[in-house]
Amino acid sequence: MAEKPASPSCFFFAASLVLLTLSSCLASPTPTPPSPSCLSGTLSNILYRNNNASFPTVLENYIRNARWNTTTTPKPSLIITPLQEADVQAAVLCAKRIGLQIRIRSGGHDYEGLSYVSRSQQPYFVLDMSNLRQITVDIGKQVATVQAGATLGELYYNIRKNSKIHGFPAGLCTTLGVGGHISGGGYGAMLRKYGLSVDNVIDAKIVDVKGRILDRKAMGEDLFWAIRGGGGASFGVVLSYTVKLVPVTETVTVFRVERTLEQNATDLAVQWQQVAPTIDDRFFLRLLLLPSNKTVKASIVAFFLGGADEAVSILKKKFPLLGLEKQNCIEMSWIESAIWLNNPDDYKIGVKPEIILNRRLNTAGFLKRKSDYVQVPISKEALEGIAKKIIELGKVALVFNPYGGKMAEIPADATAFPHRAGNLFKIQYSVNWNDSSPAAAENFVNETRSLYSYMTPFVSKNPRSAFLNYRDLDIGINTFGKNSYEEGKVYGAKYFNGNFERLVKIKTAVDPDNFFRNEQSIPILPNNH
């Protein structure tokens, strides 16, 4: 497909947005009313100014972290909710013309709220992609095309409607927006078998800074590489991804096994490090270390691409300390496993697949997340010290996600996501709370930072790597002054390792004025102007 330029009607829509939303703008000619080809329905259907009665609801529907929804949190001047691709083109042209900052939100799960909050003190608007959720599945070609505003649950459901033996290796949280999840290198329970979501992307569509719609051929391989793990919001507005489906067995197995420190949880964690990254790549054995009544509970949440008998047989040999029995296991379909993995505590046998379509709007709690990568097994003595620290802090948990398998086979520069061979597992630091006071937030954030500091000897170094989709402003913020490149390199080297410089060059080429930016976006080369 050749590039699709912004149509004249898009330009006129952009001009009308200027007049409608920013009365302080410089005078401009009276715009031609938007044509149906540019805008589906009326302007009021997709534009919400901050004095609109519906504005708070539209904003809060996809806020997933209540820390970024307080009275002191900066709010956008308006929200645009596109109904068609041309609306996105128009919004980009409008914002660029008047110098309005843009925040792009698909599912709203950015842990630091960068998809709907700007800390730059400049006026901004949110481009809320949630209405662009079309999904087409072609089982004959074993591909699906999914718009950025669809959720993973909607993608999984549509695959299941067409086939019981196909799936897609993406996230465990089913309300994640496709645009942010895939562009940041999202992973799921089949990453050891099939790699990441981005490893299974074969095409994409993006609106660039010139308002053009570009597919893979039109954007070129550099930009296509960048938006597979480098974060789409640094380069444009991702409209959709075309992904290749993967085979799944009609029956898969899930289970959860828990041990406290008094039940040899530490020994279990030692053996887990030897087993989880090296076992049959059909297994995903997630390990959680959870504070629990002045002890630590080790919880192994597992997925196996096959039946329970085979899973138990393999684990009895490879992971004897787990002590797995068939009665610990639940056999189910792949779509049911997606529902179970999203929340094992809430799962009910026989649940209808349609539950996965629930977007759970306006349900945010307070949270903080951080990430690390482990490349050398952590000793039993060190794990005992970590457990003591978790008990001391009282609230912060660790989640260990194993790598190996396909993840170790894909080169670090195959996509913008760099964390491949040499990484045993990824750590997520996780804390949630309900108290809305600033003091509570400060306390729990500081506890997370304290555990992160304690873990320094046990994790990757030079750089201390981090996962982009576990967004963490603690590791660096860009103020876009004269030292923007240097500021960007601080966090960029952690998120992207050796891929950072290539991302900077691509960013400079496709967005030389750095229009698409946020506090942790890819910077442009210094002295570019």
Side-chain angles (χ1 to χ4, degrees), residues 297-308:
K297 181 191 297 179
S299 177
I300 292 180
V301 176
F303 168 90
F304 177 65
L305 204 57

Side-chain angles (χ1 to χ4, degrees), residues 160 252 254 331-341 347 349-351 353 356:
R160 172 62 179 79
V252 304
V254 298
E331 291 185 327
M332 56 180 59
S333 66
W334 173 74
I335 190 71
E336 290 171 326
S337 76
I339 299 168
W340 185 88
L341 287 164
Y347 183 80
I349 300 292
V351 66
I356 208 169

Side-chain angles (χ1 to χ4, degrees), residues 56 58-70 73 75 105 107-109 113 116-117 360-365:
V58 176
L59 177 63
E60 293 169 10
N61 275 345
Y62 293 95
I63 289 179
R64 305 294 188 176
N65 185 351
R67 285 177 64 206
W68 311 124
N69 189 29
T70 69
T73 304
K75 301 295 193 298
R105 182 170 74 174
H109 283 269
Y116 50 88
V117 176
R360 298 181 176 88
L361 303 182
N362 201 3
T363 56

Side-chain angles (χ1 to χ4, degrees), residues 313-331:
S313 175
I314 294 171
L315 288 172
K316 279 186 178 294
K317 296 174 185 175
K318 300 290 187 179
F319 199 178
L321 286 181
L322 186 62
L324 185 71
E325 301 293 343
K326 187 173 181 180
Q327 58 261 34
N328 303 130
C329 301
I330 310 173
E331 291 185 327

